[in-house]
Amino acid sequence: MRVLSYGVSLASLIAAPMASAQGGDYADKGQRWWSRVKVLAADDMEGRGTGTAGHEKAAAYVIGQLQAIGLKPAGTEGYRQPVAFVEQVVQSDKSIAALVGPQGETALAVPGDLIFSGGGGPVPERIDAPMVFAGYGLHLPEVGHDDFAGLDVKGKIVVVLSGGPADVSGALKSHARSERAHWLAQQGAVGLIALVTPGQVEIPWVRRVALAGAPALYYRDAALRDTTTPFLNAQLDPAKSAQLFAGSGKDYGSIAAAADASAPVASFPLALRLKAQVAATRRDVTSPNIVAVMPGSDPKLAKQYVVLSAHLDGYGVGTPIKGDAIYNGALDNASGVASLIEIARALKAGKVKPKRSVLFAIVTAEEKGLLGSRYFARRPTVPQTSIVADLNFDMALPIFPLTSVTPVGYDQSSLGMDAQVVSAQMNLPIVADPFPDRNVFIRSDQYAFIREGIPALFFKYGFKAGTPEAVTEKAWRANIYHSPFDDINQPVMPEQSAKLNDYVTAVTLRVANAAARPTWNVDSFFRRFAK
């Protein structure tokens, strides 16, 4: 068994006082949850890559579990809603890139220095374009911030930096980043290069390079894609970022320091061009969302649906790290799927029945850009206007005691009040996202529903910046996240997951049994998307 360290004594955290068990025996419930994680994260599931035999095997297991609990099929083909994709693999060994300026060309190693993304749509085979720096790359004129104001992006590659101004909420910054490529393509830009300051690195560059060869996906239906024409998406090694600013008269170190402080960052043209040739292979694949329903007990309210979502897919089999090539995805996100199965079991067995129907959406292709959930939210298997809320599970991380919760999105809709009531009942206070610039708001499947005007929450363990829990969580992301080490040999605290499962079960019942459907807060930016 592999022994892993998060950089903080996990034993000391486990020894911390636990809240009293309000929902039954957390130890037994936690072990049952963990047994499901073990099945989904076993090596024979081969990392559950979208469109692979391993994902199909995992889907069959999930369907069997939901069927055994008594949930009814709610897909387009039984429990399945097939989604058609094009799988695109960038061939780094056949791709080249260089910075071009008055002093000549400087080669960039692919993927060692520059990683081309294969998601969103077909990559351009060749590109030779000037570059402009657009600060944080946030187009938010509604709140008085627009990094693109006065900047000519047509025919250019736009370079943007991580972070954002302190006076704009994390949710809004995340939303603007998610819409950025689509908006830039509409303005005539031909590409986007994302930079991360050294101080904001979440995953070491060497791990990003290891993932560079993983298949990317985009919708086979062009009407669903972010861009209708080839558009370059790339990431640059944080250690090489200063190279892009050569000849501009600007000091990248000062710019990065300003970004780390959430200070203003100016936009300006760069002196260099990027010239590249991108080779890629493509093939058609299909992968299903799994959709099951627990019909509501109230004849009228049963026509409305509370969605519980979690993604089944992982990174599959990839570049070996220390001899291990299976990216098992135990906590990301076999854990979330196991939680949904446990919640379905609890709701089915509970004395209080949900009045609204509860729809379980175990989606595919989250790791490829929320593609499965975006497909479901845009083309649901029930009338879209009948979906009142989405409650999402993804990588909740039971690696320290659950003493508070962060239901991401709680400050945007009336769902926040439902979460607050349950928090008070279970003595699990709500804590704000300690790192809002990490884009958590848009990085999981709840955002697909929010973008369609459906209020949503995304449940995370609560902690504050500067605490031992924050150090533990950061170390997990640096050492375990999106690697073969996210497997069943890592230290976890199953009883804490059982407690969070009970919390989400209680929130689900409140939403399902409320007289009125959830509403957006009057001051929420996302209210505009409501149908």
Side-chain angles (χ1 to χ4, degrees), residues 328-410:
N328 303 82
L331 298 187
D332 183 20
N333 185 42
S335 67
V337 175
S339 288
L340 257 59
I341 295 171
E342 285 297 297
I343 291 169
R345 188 178 185 274
L347 289 173
K348 192 71 173 176
K351 294 180 179 179
V352 179
K353 302 298 183 184
K355 295 180 179 180
R356 289 181 174 84
S357 297
V358 181
L359 202 66
F360 291 80
I362 292 86
V363 297
T364 188
E366 188 270 354
E367 301 290 6
K368 308 302 182 183
L370 316 185
L371 297 182
S373 58
R374 288 172 61 191
Y375 186 89
F376 179 83
R378 294 168 75 175
R379 298 181 178 179
T381 57
V382 298
Q384 190 186 62
T385 54
S386 69
I387 299 175
V388 305
D390 172 64
L391 306 177
N392 185 56
F393 252 101
D394 186 5
M395 206 175 84
L397 296 187
I399 55 177
F400 47 78
L402 179 69
T403 58
S404 60
V405 292
T406 298
V408 176
Y410 75 94

Side-chain angles (χ1 to χ4, degrees), residues 6 11 24 29 53 66 155 191 205 241 255 272 333 368 522:
Y6 296 133
K29 291 160 75 173
L66 298 177
W205 183 253
S241 296
I255 295 170
L272 304 180
N333 185 42
K368 308 302 182 183
V522 293

Side-chain angles (χ1 to χ4, degrees), residues 48-49 51-61 63 80 286-288 312:
R48 309 183 307 280
T52 66
H55 184 277
E56 186 59 32
K57 183 175 182 179
Y61 167 79
I63 290 171
R80 299 168 185 268
T286 300
S287 184
L312 178 61

Side-chain angles (χ1 to χ4, degrees), residues 413-484:
S413 75
S414 62
L415 293 175
M417 183 57 67
D418 294 309
Q420 287 179 354
V421 170
V422 176
S423 284
Q425 293 171 343
M426 294 187 65
N427 192 28
L428 291 172
I430 289 176
V431 175
D433 181 2
F435 305 115
D437 280 328
R438 289 202 307 203
N439 289 340
V440 169
F441 187 76
I442 64 166
R443 280 173 62 175
S444 193
D445 295 302
Q446 82 289 338
Y447 182 69
F449 293 88
I450 289 170
R451 193 60 185 82
E452 296 302 312
I454 299 166
L457 296 177
F458 170 27
F459 298 95
K460 308 292 282 184
Y461 280 50
F463 62 90
K464 295 182 179 180
T467 62
E469 290 81 2
V471 175
T472 298
E473 195 261 4
K474 184 176 181 179
W476 188 92
R477 288 177 177 269
N479 299 310
I480 309 290
Y481 182 45
H482 287 177
S483 83

